[in-house]
Amino acid sequence: MIHNRQATVDDAPLIQSLAEHTWYPTYSPIISQEQIRYMLHHIYNLQLISHQIKENEQTYLLLFEDQQPVGFAGFSPRTENADVYKLHKLYCLVETKGKGYGKALLREVEGRVVAAGKNVLELNVNKYNPAKGFYEKQGYKVIYEEDIPIGDYWMNDFVMRKILF
């Protein structure tokens, strides 16, 4: 049985661990090991995750299969337009692929966006990440492409959007 709950500051190490266990299998075919390490260090360090949760900069959800953590998501209103929410992160352990856990986590995020009185959710997905197909199946459409510098590296992404009802 799966269930989710909102993360607290105490969950920052768990989020970091899940990120490490999901990023390598997700991104090794797409980007270098050095870039994966760099991104994990800069996006998933304990101080940053704790700060984001404590200051309500991002809401993190944790997904559990029975009592085992298997995935997480992070989302927030966009800084430049609070009417649009951004899904910053959504990752499930590779061994759960095909169980519908990503879809369940995404639906929970969408439900929370609607409960906040908003109806637009956007996300970035690497141009070469097969997850693009997953998001398309969930009703997301590419609205533009963007290349974002991160240190010496680039995130080459599609920005996708869904209007929620």
Side-chain angles (χ1 to χ4, degrees), residues 2 17 96:
I2 64 168
S17 176
T96 66

Side-chain angles (χ1 to χ4, degrees), residues 97-156:
K97 186 172 180 167
K99 291 186 171 186
Y101 293 176
K103 185 176 180 179
L105 200 48
L106 183 60
R107 292 289 172 259
E108 180 66 22
V109 171
E110 291 173 349
R112 288 178 180 239
V113 171
V114 170
K118 306 304 179 188
N119 69 346
V120 179
L121 184 60
E122 292 183 351
L123 60 94
N124 284 45
V125 64
N126 182 284
K127 291 177 185 177
Y128 305 103
N129 188 338
K132 177 180 177 272
F134 163 77
Y135 289 116
E136 288 172 331
K137 286 179 186 174
Q138 305 312 310
Y140 289 79
K141 307 270 189 247
V142 173
I143 57 172
Y144 61 92
E145 298 178 25
E146 68 179 352
D147 297 322
I148 304 165
I150 302 286
D152 293 336
Y153 302 101
W154 289 88
M155 293 191 322
N156 309 111

Side-chain angles (χ1 to χ4, degrees), residues 26-65:
T26 300
Y27 292 109
S28 288
I30 301 170
I31 61 177
S32 71
Q33 296 293 301
E34 294 80 17
Q35 184 173 356
I36 293 171
R37 281 192 295 275
Y38 181 88
M39 301 290 279
L40 286 170
H41 176 74
H42 283 84
I43 298 172
Y44 292 100
N45 69 69
L46 292 178
Q47 279 187 310
L48 179 60
I49 296 168
S50 297
H51 174 82
Q52 290 170 333
I53 294 170
K54 184 178 179 183
E55 300 302 323
N56 293 314
E57 290 177 3
Q58 284 189 39
T59 299
Y60 281 87
L61 300 177
L62 292 166
L63 183 71
F64 295 85
E65 178 182 62

